[in-house]
Amino acid sequence: MAIKKSCLLLLGISSPVLAATDCPEQFHQLPLAENASYCHLFDDTLPATLSYFSALTPAQTLAFYQNRLSDASTSQSKDRQVLEDKQGRWVVVISADGQGSQVDMLVKE
């Protein structure tokens, strides 16, 4: 199966800005788990997205965010935990990734 040039162009545009060892402590005022690794910043201007790996289980990662973001609403979508700001400013999605979790953050404003 051949890969279209337009797909390669999109992959080049969306390449992460941060290296795996350069995880920030927070992303637009949202905290990252202490052991965050493999951070991929896709856009720093709003709307902005960041994905990272945590060695914490999804349940532990959810507890971390519920403790830090107590006013967030929580729901489940398939096998993912979704935390959302009640004002719609950000979304945090937690999914299982091997023995840990993948955390995807979207900051809208």
Side-chain angles (χ1 to χ4, degrees), residues 34-88:
E34 185 176 304
N35 61 354
S37 60
Y38 301 104
C39 287
H40 298 284
L41 176 65
F42 293 98
D43 199 349
D44 195 33
T45 58
L46 298 179
T49 58
L50 175 94
S51 294
Y52 73 90
F53 174 80
S54 172
L56 299 174
T57 66
Q60 292 169 323
T61 304
L62 177 62
F64 168 83
Y65 279 104
Q66 287 176 323
N67 183 42
R68 298 257 173 19
L69 307 170
S70 58
D71 62 339
S73 64
T74 305
S75 62
Q76 186 167 349
S77 176
K78 297 187 181 183
D79 294 332
R80 297 174 178 90
Q81 296 294 328
V82 180
L83 290 98
E84 255 182 290
D85 177 53
K86 292 180 181 176
Q87 287 77 37

